[in-house]
Amino acid sequence: MAETADAIIIGAGIQGASLAFHLTERGMQPLVLERATVAAGATGRSSGMVRMHYDLEAEARLAWRSYAYFRDWGHRVGGDSGFTNVGFLQMVPRHEVEPLRQNVAMQQRVGIITSIIGADEVRRLLPGVVIDDDQVAAYEPLSGYADPTQTTGSLMAGASARGARLMQGCAVTGVRTAGGRVVGVETSRGAFDAPIVVDAAGAWAARVAGMVGLDVPVNVWRHDVAYVRRPLDIPRHIAFIDFQNAFYCRPEGESLTLVALEDGNPLQGDPDAPVDSAAIGFIERAAERIVQRLPDFARAGLHSAHSGQDGITPDQRPIIGPAGPDGFWLCCGFSGTGFKTAPAIGDSLAHLITDGPSANTDLAIFRLSRFATGELIRGEHAYADIWR
Ligand SMILES: Cc1cc2nc3c(=O)[nH]c(=O)nc-3n(C[C@H](O)[C@H](O)[C@H](O)COP(=O)(O)OP(=O)(O)OC[C@H]3O[C@@H](n4cnc5c(N)ncnc54)[C@H](O)[C@@H]3O)c2cc1C
């Protein structure tokens, strides 16, 4: 007879782990099935930026609620997320200064600690930066970055301590249904029964959704990341996103800086493609961008580079909610920004799964049906697509 769980979560990335953690807070004992190891997908490759600047209020709210976890991880979750508060700057081209102001105003209404600052203040926060005197940026003093693998591991540990089960090296190969509802899954290690099955399979999410006949618009998005060793006279710096030069940066420990590009991230690849190396030419492009903003980095040396793959949707927002047969749920399509919001998403989704759709509405905007009805999500004061 197949082993039975209250719910089965497919994928032990940050989303699967956060959902497992929050389901156990609500008294459920989920089974998390992971084809490889915890954080083997996008999560283990993530840049781990934790900031609240979004052009969509629903995401800004999720990021702000999640920040409360990162700030107080040991107490809220247990273990350590590796959160490091270095602050965060959002820089934009001139034609996006007005949306920047509007988005900061929206974020302030949400309660986020953020403000618009002038060029002198940017220079104080990021010594050596090239910025015009009349330019502005958004500044979040509380933001920073965390360690995605550690974060996921501690959520999984917290879930396990309350009765969740994790099976690594266990690939789901089919989802079983009977009478229009899910009853369990087939895996490389046998069958498991559950009345609820959640697709948290990252770049593989469309493949998993196809197991119940669902066609979800989740493509594969590939993103390269480099670490450079800073010259000794450049101290640890603030994290920032620079839309004007289409790249972002954050420090890593005391001597490294992570740099990645906002453009040229390939789509439509194979979720199983190897991610150990960055694309040819990426390092050179990344070096050019950072030196435009921070000329002192011309003296930096390459430490390492890798790639990662996430699921991406046509509006670059996730798909979260019930879909297909009764008991089947989607939690996927995080489009390169789903690390920082995972704590609040896991909490809200656990709420929905245990108490029903009317219990929590902050995820309603992310329903799958928006693609069929042409209601793609757009920020209230939208920037250009994040990943061009
Ligand atoms: C390089 C990179 C940098 C990023 N930087 C940031 C950032 O700075 N800040 C931010 O907020 N977000 C960032 N993101 C996005 C963020 O990391 C992802 O949105 C998030 O990690 C997605 O988590 P997930 O749990 O949905 O997917 P994943 O972490 O990919 O987890 C899915 C898991 O499902 C498993 N799986 C797949 N199919 C099956 C199956 N059939 N059976 C069993 N298991 C299966 C996989 O092995 C995988 O472990 C970045 C992403 C990348 C790739």
Side-chain angles (χ1 to χ4, degrees), residues 10-16 33-50 54 170-173 200-204 208 211 221 223-225 248 306-310 331-332 334-341:
I10 304 172
I14 186 70
Q15 295 293 340
L33 301 177
E34 167 55 53
R35 64 200 280 276
T37 54
V38 170
T43 301
R45 302 278 159 167
S46 180
S47 306
M49 297 264 275
V50 174
Y54 276 95
C170 180
V172 173
T173 52
W204 296 262
V208 168
M211 294 175 188
W221 169 83
H223 185 57
D224 293 335
V225 171
Y248 65 86
H306 67 245
S307 193
Q309 300 198 131
D310 199 2
C331 180
C332 57
F334 286 93
S335 307
T337 74
F339 171 69
K340 68 186 82 57
T341 47

Side-chain angles (χ1 to χ4, degrees), residues 11-73:
I14 186 70
Q15 295 293 340
S18 177
L19 178 60
F21 178 85
H22 289 96
L23 283 175
T24 61
E25 274 194 340
R26 295 176 163 273
M28 288 181 78
Q29 299 199 324
L31 171 63
V32 182
L33 301 177
E34 167 55 53
R35 64 200 280 276
T37 54
V38 170
T43 301
R45 302 278 159 167
S46 180
S47 306
M49 297 264 275
V50 174
R51 42 92 191 173
M52 279 66 86
H53 194 93
Y54 276 95
D55 64 7
L56 181 73
E57 182 171 335
E59 284 179 306
R61 285 186 183 280
L62 289 168
W64 182 228
R65 273 177 58 207
S66 296
Y67 165 73
Y69 285 69
F70 286 108
R71 185 193 54 209
D72 204 12
W73 197 264

Side-chain angles (χ1 to χ4, degrees), residues 254-273:
E254 289 307 318
S255 58
L256 300 182
T257 287
L258 179 158
V259 52
L261 301 180
E262 304 264 338
D263 58 359
N265 296 289
L267 296 177
Q268 290 173 340
D270 175 357
D272 294 319

Side-chain angles (χ1 to χ4, degrees), residues 98-121:
E98 193 45 35
L100 182 84
R101 291 188 187 281
Q102 299 287 350
N103 287 323
V104 166
M106 171 271 284
Q107 292 151 19
Q108 288 171 336
R109 284 196 296 277
V110 166
I112 295 166
I113 310 301
T114 179
S115 59
I116 297 285
I117 59 171
D120 281 348
E121 185 66 357

